[in-house]
Amino acid sequence: MKIRKIVGEWYIYILMIMIWVIASLITPYFRQMSVFMTIIVFSVPLALIALGQNFVILSGRLDLSVGGILGLSTVIASVIMKNNLFIGILFPLLLGAVLGLINGIAISKFRIDSFIMTFGMMSVCQGIGLLIRDYPGGYIPSEYINFLLKETRHIALTPLFILIIVLVVGEFVLKRTNFGRAVYAIGNDDVIAHRSGINVSLIRTAVFIISGFTAAMAGLFLSAVMASGDATVGSLYPLDSITAVVMGGTILAGGRGDYKGTIGAVLILTSLARIFNLIGINIWYTYIAKGLLLLIIVAIRMFGVKQEREEVL
Amino acid sequence: MTGIGLKNRNINKDILQVIILSSLLVVIILVAGILKPDFLTAKHLITIAHDTSILGIAAIGQTIVILIGGIDLSVGATMLMADAVGAMLLGGQNRIIPILICLGLGLLIGAINGAGVAFLRIPPFIMTLGMMAILTGSIFIFAKTRGFASPILRYLSVGKVGNIPILIIIWIFLTIMMVVIMRLTVFGRAVYAIGSNPIASYHSGIKNKIVIFFVYVISGIFSAIAGLFLLGYTGVPELTYRGGGLGSDYTLSAIAAVIIGGTIFTGARGGVERTIFGVLVLKILFSILTMMGISGSGKLIAQGLIVIVIVGTYMKLEDL
């Protein structure tokens, strides 16, 4: 029983290690430190977005606007940073939080379905981004890029730190704070949460603010990786972040799950692309692998869950 | 996503929604007509309706999936699959087997989605998201940008009877067929019942799993039909990145059209006939923006705002 519990909690990391071992057996290139660092660097934006998405999904909603906010913040950073680095960092973060606030108010106060609201917000953000910069470009200061991506002895310390800090903060907020418990509570049942004295619409709005903020953070990081701004760069992130969160063991209906599983899923998703690239497999196979992996994991988990409504569906 | 269900099913509000939507349609058409007199010609309006038909057919399947309380994110990818495979196999000749293969492919995709949702109890969002990823990968690996539509398919998609394009007639026929099925048959009522309250429908003797399975099968077939007409409309396969990410035109446009039409995500309210309004509002708006010389970015902003405002208005109506 105990082993089953441990496997249930850490299956995503077991899977990750299995994939890494198999990959390093197949191709010697995968054993190099630089490959590992590439995986870390490309995991950071997805991990940041998935943090916000994880909060939103735990509260029982979805956020599709993360890709639009990410794209918009890379564009704005690429416009402002050449004049003032500080404002170039601060303004996208603030904008992300404000856009998240708008999402949150519309969803909690006006009761617009989160799928529709954030889909609309994604279109608007992408449109504004394209209006400002219709082709990728702009200027990102090299000292900013160096600060984020500099490698000392082949180890990119800053991305590694960001990943660890995000993991610790995410897990801490979810598991050890009143706010985190409130997020789980409204995800499980918002009526009961309301009756037990939780300000449901406040928590719900806060969750979307976090999601907008982390999306903007991911955008700032990605603008350093690309050394430019691109309004459409985020188009895959909404679904990828939902995939990561669900693969990591969080239930789409909300109320159950954690962030450490999500990070494991993020690492798997970014590893797959690198591994397929190194072995020389057509990059489109990663899509098939991603889809199959998601479906298999969720199907296995659904077999394990005994529901009283099983027959009913 | 609190259940609203049948108890609030208020005919007056439904009528109010239809009135709001149709007056919105009339207003935007009139405004466009005042700005650009060319817009109001019958020829131009028919052209817009013709443009709308393909999305309209895809949205029919999406509507019944949403009515049952699910969602189908694989609509766009299934369309592009049928589009690419159809072109490859047809090669510009009138053959029936490739058409059947494409429809069978749609049926198979729908059946896998349905089996996953109904029997493995995978949430519809996840099931169809995974299917979308698998299909997108497969299209780009196996399908090549070659081949042509067959003359008959081309005729059905761009040909006209008198002044009316055949595709519009097909769209209207399919819609009426589906409305009849949804309103008058046991299957249709079962879909509404499950969308309203799956536990109640189960206890009243409806086989939930079978009905859910077939709803996804129907959606897959409609997507494949839309994909074939897309092939006929353009003549060559449209192998762009549209089937992929969230930017994919057809999946999200179909969902947006269904929601604008007044079918709601929690299921059981709305209907196939409403989706016609939704599709038309989206497309007419886009063609007006195109006519006024507004670029892609402006269209994205307008699409986002329109969807939010219309759904916000519906939610306000609920409070009345």
Side-chain angles (χ1 to χ4, degrees):
Chain A
M1 261 339 261
K2 207 172 177 193
I3 290 174
R4 194 177 160 178
K5 202 180 166 209
I6 293 171
V7 170
E9 187 123 332
W10 297 95
Y11 68 91
I12 198 82
Y13 286 94
I14 297 169
L15 190 65
M16 181 183 84
I17 290 166
M18 274 164 58
I19 289 174
W20 282 359
V21 168
I22 293 171
S24 52
L25 287 178
I26 295 175
T27 163
Y29 299 113
F30 195 74
R31 289 173 224 151
Q32 289 165 0
M33 198 62 183
S34 60
V35 174
F36 183 67
M37 277 304 133
T38 321
I39 292 173
I40 295 290
V41 168
F42 280 98
S43 293
V44 169
L46 188 55
L48 281 167
I49 282 203
L51 175 64
Q53 189 72 264
N54 208 336
F55 275 87
V56 175
I57 290 181
L58 278 174
S59 79
R61 296 289 186 267
L62 281 176
D63 191 350
L64 300 182
S65 67
V66 286
I69 294 175
L70 177 142
L72 185 58
S73 76
T74 67
V75 167
I76 289 174
S78 75
V79 171
I80 300 180
M81 272 188 182
K82 68 171 178 250
N83 296 324
N84 189 330
L85 183 59
F86 181 67
I87 296 178
I89 294 173
L90 201 65
F91 185 69
L93 291 178
L94 208 64
L95 186 71
V98 170
L99 292 172
L101 176 72
I102 297 171
N103 275 337
I105 290 175
I107 289 160
S108 63
K109 292 278 183 220
F110 296 96
R111 289 180 292 116
I112 300 177
D113 192 279
S114 64
F115 187 98
I116 289 297
M117 180 61 212
T118 55
F119 162 56
M121 181 59 90
M122 183 194 67
S123 300
V124 173
C125 287
Q126 219 174 55
I128 296 173
L130 285 170
L131 214 57
I132 299 172
R133 190 182 285 297
D134 48 359
Y135 290 102
Y139 171 75
I140 305 291
S142 54
E143 60 261 39
Y144 173 70
I145 298 176
N146 271 335
F147 169 71
L148 283 179
L149 300 177
K150 197 173 73 132
E151 295 187 355
T152 41
R153 271 184 272 157
H154 299 298
I155 299 177
L157 281 177
T158 326
L160 203 57
F161 272 131
I162 296 176
L163 216 52
I164 292 168
I165 291 171
V166 165
L167 174 60
V168 171
V169 169
E171 275 292 292
F172 179 80
V173 172
L174 279 177
K175 294 285 171 61
R176 296 268 182 272
T177 63
N178 284 337
F179 173 74
R181 290 194 198 100
V183 171
Y184 280 98
I186 63 173
N188 266 321
D189 193 324
D190 44 7
V191 178
I192 292 175
H194 175 71
R195 283 181 191 155
S196 44
I198 293 170
N199 188 339
V200 173
S201 51
L202 183 74
I203 302 286
R204 188 144 276 158
T205 311
V207 159
F208 278 95
I209 294 174
I210 292 174
S211 183
F213 187 78
T214 55
M217 274 168 79
L220 286 175
F221 187 86
L222 210 57
S223 65
V225 175
M226 303 184 302
S228 62
D230 181 357
T232 57
V233 69
S235 54
L236 284 178
Y237 277 99
L239 294 184
D240 273 357
S241 62
I242 294 171
T243 306
V245 171
V246 172
M247 256 169 82
T250 302
I251 309 289
L252 196 64
R256 292 224 327 263
D258 56 14
Y259 184 58
K260 64 175 189 299
T262 305
I263 286 274
V266 166
L267 288 172
I268 288 181
L269 289 176
T270 21
S271 303
L272 279 180
R274 293 308 301 169
I275 293 168
F276 281 28
N277 195 353
L278 285 174
I279 304 177
I281 299 178
N282 189 334
I283 194 71
W284 293 105
Y285 277 104
T286 44
Y287 278 76
I288 299 182
K290 213 157 69 176
L292 282 176
L293 210 56
L294 173 71
L295 292 182
I296 291 169
I297 288 178
V298 176
I300 290 174
R301 218 169 50 212
M302 291 314 284
F303 264 119
V305 180
K306 281 257 179 281
Q307 286 184 334
E308 64 264 42
R309 301 199 321 183
E310 185 173 3
E311 281 309 307
V312 182
L313 195 95
Chain B
M1 302 183 189
T2 46
I4 288 169
L6 278 176
K7 69 178 191 309
N8 283 347
R9 189 167 162 71
N10 190 329
I11 300 298
N12 290 329
K13 280 175 194 164
D14 280 9
I15 292 173
L16 207 58
Q17 275 190 359
V18 173
I19 292 171
I20 288 178
L21 263 184
S22 36
S23 45
L24 185 75
L25 257 181
V26 172
V27 167
I28 50 180
I29 290 175
L30 284 181
V31 169
I34 293 163
L35 290 176
K36 287 259 168 99
D38 296 347
F39 189 88
L40 266 184
T41 55
K43 193 178 163 216
H44 188 234
L45 290 178
I46 287 176
T47 312
I48 294 178
H50 193 181
D51 264 356
T52 313
S53 311
I54 294 168
L55 181 62
I57 292 170
I60 296 173
Q62 187 71 262
T63 311
I64 59 168
V65 173
I66 292 181
L67 275 176
I68 208 165
I71 193 167
D72 191 348
L73 297 179
S74 61
V75 165
T78 310
M79 278 177 70
L80 289 192
M81 193 77 175
D83 183 58
V85 172
M88 247 164 59
L89 297 179
L90 280 169
Q93 279 160 350
N94 282 329
R95 281 185 287 201
I96 187 70
I97 303 289
I99 303 283
L100 291 180
I101 290 177
C102 284
L103 294 178
L105 211 58
L107 187 140
L108 182 71
I109 293 166
I112 296 172
N113 279 336
V117 173
F119 301 116
L120 295 179
R121 289 182 292 127
I122 299 173
F125 191 96
I126 302 298
M127 184 65 221
T128 54
L129 171 64
M131 181 55 86
M132 185 192 87
I134 294 169
L135 288 178
T136 308
S138 310
I139 292 168
F140 280 87
I141 292 164
F142 302 114
K144 304 281 181 289
T145 39
R146 59 158 193 250
F148 303 98
S150 60
I152 288 181
L153 190 61
R154 190 114 179 87
Y155 175 71
L156 288 176
S157 309
V158 294
K160 288 179 181 178
V161 176
N163 279 327
I164 311 285
I166 297 170
L167 194 53
I168 296 182
I169 300 171
I170 295 174
W171 174 32
I172 292 172
F173 170 75
L174 288 174
T175 303
I176 292 173
M177 187 186 83
M178 219 49 219
V179 169
V180 169
I181 290 177
M182 294 306 289
R183 296 287 177 192
L184 299 180
T185 66
V186 178
F187 175 79
R189 291 200 199 113
V191 169
Y192 277 93
I194 295 172
S196 166
N197 187 342
I199 298 174
S201 74
Y202 175 73
H203 287 300
S204 20
I206 294 172
K207 291 190 170 54
N208 285 6
K209 294 188 175 183
I210 306 290
V211 175
I212 292 173
F213 175 77
F214 277 109
V215 162
Y216 284 91
V217 170
I218 292 172
S219 176
I221 294 173
F222 271 103
S223 305
I225 295 174
L228 281 173
F229 284 127
L230 180 67
L231 172 64
Y233 195 67
T234 48
V236 288
E238 183 174 346
L239 203 56
T240 54
Y241 193 51
R242 284 164 143 189
L246 253 180
S248 65
D249 283 358
Y250 294 111
T251 306
L252 283 176
S253 297
I255 295 173
V258 172
I259 301 298
I260 290 175
T263 304
I264 61 173
F265 263 127
T266 40
R269 281 191 59 194
V272 177
E273 69 278 6
R274 297 284 206 82
T275 302
I276 292 183
F277 283 107
V279 182
L280 283 176
V281 166
L282 260 190
K283 277 287 179 176
I284 289 179
L285 209 87
F286 268 33
S287 74
I288 291 172
L289 291 174
T290 311
M291 213 178 58
M292 287 171 21
I294 292 172
S295 61
S297 52
K299 276 187 205 167
L300 278 172
I301 299 174
Q303 167 179 307
L305 291 179
I306 286 290
V307 170
I308 293 170
V309 168
I310 290 182
V311 176
T313 318
Y314 288 165
M315 293 317 287
K316 275 280 154 229
L317 277 183
E318 294 295 322
D319 297 338
L320 290 179

